Amino acid sequence: MSEARVHPLPMTLEEITPAWLTAALRTRAAGVTVRGAEIVDVNNGTCTKVRMRLDMDEAGRDAGIPELVMLKGGFETHSRNLWHILEAEVVGYRDVFPVLKLPAPACYFADYAPDQGQGIVVMEDLVARNVTFCDARVPQTFEQVARRLEDFARFHAQTWNTPEFKQGRWDSMRMNPATLPNYLAQYFVPSEWERFTGLPRGAAASVRFHDRDLMRAMLDKVVAYSEERPQVLIHGDAHLGNLYISADGSPGFFDSLPSRGPAMRDIAYHVCGALDTADRRRWEGALIHHYLQELKRNGVADVPPFDDMMREYAVFLLVGYLIFLINESFYQLESINTAYVARFSAAMIDHDTVGLLQAMG
């Protein structure tokens, strides 16, 4: 079966046939044949996760493809509006994780079709591996976050200010958060902004952060500030819903939005989102110090001073706040959006994020 059969990508669950799966898996393991495929369950959300049981020939089993796999794609009514997320996740599984070795699920197929606005990933079923999926409503411990920061440091160190952002492997990576203003523009109109601030998450935030014009102006300052800081390849979406813990306690990452940006775009987003507010106040300084030490241990010679990185941390809290303030409830449960908004809002007050940004001129 030729690789040409892989495109077009399935746009409905009914189009995920044994013939298409065979063509898709043969891009990674020649000779695989899927004789039958059963949908075990479907999880709707930002994207659709489809657990499938495959009946494969011996070549498939010899290639290490398990009977149970997870297929992820854009099968929701809102999916075409999220083409950029579908594309970015494919890039993560296909191009980033295999090279930079951030712990992630084994991937057997990943491709994006621009003409369809569709991205499909076929990966191992983590449930079958008995991992623990993280949840915003269950904050992490100091040790869990510290261990994850060690993985982040190894990941970030490999592309710290690399010339390949200008010419080379990573030159197509978009700047983050420079892409955010365009995405968020639809939510900065008064009716949409008021819709979100009127939800429970809005009540969990300080009313000083309900000021739409102020938040929009501060986001522009974050974008300008980002260009001045050291650049790395970032995961881009390391909130707890995209993380898991293996049976041996080691961290795992999935569903990334890889892009170029300051390291603290990842670290502030993760640390503040993963910790209960009281714990974050006690632990964040020690955790950031640990991360910086790990950067040095992984060969980064020009690690910025602690005070500079804490300032960067404070600045990027705004990004986490805005992402979850305007996150639709059919992407994440309202309880999860509310938990994150409460944590980022409190941290922005503690670190005077707006004051820091306003002082930048």
Side-chain angles (χ1 to χ4, degrees):
M1 189 173 295
S2 69
E3 186 176 339
R5 293 283 301 278
V6 176
H7 280 244
L9 298 177
M11 298 295 286
T12 67
L13 299 187
E14 291 72 25
E15 294 172 4
I16 308 171
T17 63
W20 183 85
L21 288 163
T22 295
L25 296 177
R26 283 185 178 181
T27 64
R28 297 295 176 94
V32 173
T33 298
V34 178
R35 296 179 295 222
E38 172 195 0
I39 293 179
V40 178
D41 59 59
V42 178
N43 183 355
N44 306 101
T46 306
C47 299
T48 311
K49 299 180 180 70
V50 186
R51 180 170 290 106
M52 306 199 72
R53 179 173 285 109
L54 306 182
D55 174 16
M56 288 178 296
D57 63 357
E58 186 175 351
R61 295 190 295 273
D62 290 345
I65 301 172
E67 178 187 24
L68 285 172
V69 298
M70 187 68 72
L71 183 148
K72 185 176 182 186
F75 301 107
E76 307 294 330
T77 56
H78 56 258
S79 293
R80 304 292 70 78
N81 294 329
L82 298 178
W83 62 268
H84 55 292
I85 290 178
L86 296 166
E87 180 184 28
E89 290 187 358
V90 164
V91 168
Y93 286 109
R94 185 188 63 199
D95 304 329
V96 175
F97 291 159
V99 174
L100 301 184
K101 306 300 183 184
L102 194 66
C107 179
Y108 311 113
F109 173 80
D111 203 3
Y112 177 75
D115 57 324
Q116 297 176 273
Q118 175 67 305
I120 300 286
V121 175
V122 181
M123 69 185 87
E124 68 172 311
D125 177 18
L126 292 171
V127 172
R129 186 139 68 82
N130 197 32
V131 309
T132 299
F133 292 98
C134 300
D135 188 305
R137 295 162 294 187
V138 184
Q140 300 273 283
T141 66
F142 181 96
E143 291 74 17
Q144 288 170 325
V145 174
R147 192 164 181 180
R148 202 168 287 115
L149 294 185
E150 292 167 11
D151 282 329
F152 268 128
R154 282 192 293 273
F155 178 62
H156 291 156
Q158 295 173 76
T159 59
W160 188 273
N161 270 343
T162 176
E164 290 191 316
F165 286 138
K166 295 181 179 178
Q167 184 176 10
R169 182 190 293 272
W170 310 118
D171 58 10
S172 64
M173 288 293 172
R174 291 186 285 264
M175 175 66 182
N176 190 313
T179 56
L180 272 179
N182 287 339
Y183 171 67
L184 295 179
Q186 60 189 310
Y187 300 110
F188 275 116
V189 299
S191 59
E192 285 294 282
W193 184 261
E194 290 164 10
R195 175 167 70 91
F196 286 109
T197 56
L199 291 172
R201 70 188 78 170
S206 168
V207 294
R208 70 188 65 185
F209 304 140
H210 286 191
D211 187 325
R212 178 176 56 89
D213 293 335
L214 175 65
M215 293 296 100
R216 182 65 180 84
M218 294 303 99
L219 179 59
D220 288 341
K221 287 180 175 287
V222 172
V223 171
Y225 175 78
S226 298
E227 294 285 2
E228 303 169 1
R229 305 300 295 163
Q231 304 291 298
V232 302
L233 190 66
I234 64 172
H235 177 286
D237 201 21
H239 67 85
L240 290 178
N242 288 339
L243 305 170
Y244 62 92
I245 301 172
S246 296
D248 64 359
S250 60
F253 303 76
F254 58 93
D255 294 358
S256 65
L257 300 176
S259 51
R260 171 177 62 89
M264 276 297 152
R265 167 63 180 84
D266 267 344
I267 303 305
Y269 187 73
H270 174 63
V271 169
C272 185
L275 296 175
D276 179 77
T277 295
D279 291 332
R280 190 263 308 157
R281 287 171 175 146
R282 293 188 296 149
W283 297 341
E284 62 190 352
L287 286 167
I288 300 305
H289 178 75
H290 179 61
Y291 169 74
L292 299 181
Q293 291 299 112
E294 288 295 308
L295 282 177
K296 293 176 183 176
R297 196 168 70 84
N298 281 277
V300 178
D302 56 343
V303 176
F306 175 78
D307 288 348
D308 286 358
M309 291 300 264
M310 285 304 298
R311 186 178 303 108
E312 188 172 313
Y313 171 88
V315 164
F316 281 104
L317 294 170
L318 181 82
V319 173
Y321 171 77
L322 288 175
I323 285 174
F324 289 104
L325 181 70
I326 57 80
N327 198 36
E328 297 284 4
S329 297
F330 48 80
Y331 297 161
Q332 298 284 347
L333 296 174
E334 184 60 24
S335 59
I336 290 175
N337 289 320
T338 300
Y340 283 136
V341 167
R343 290 170 195 165
F344 282 103
S345 172
M348 286 167 64
I349 294 171
D350 292 346
H351 289 277
D352 190 22
T353 295
V354 170
L356 281 174
L357 288 166
Q358 288 175 324
M360 291 179 182

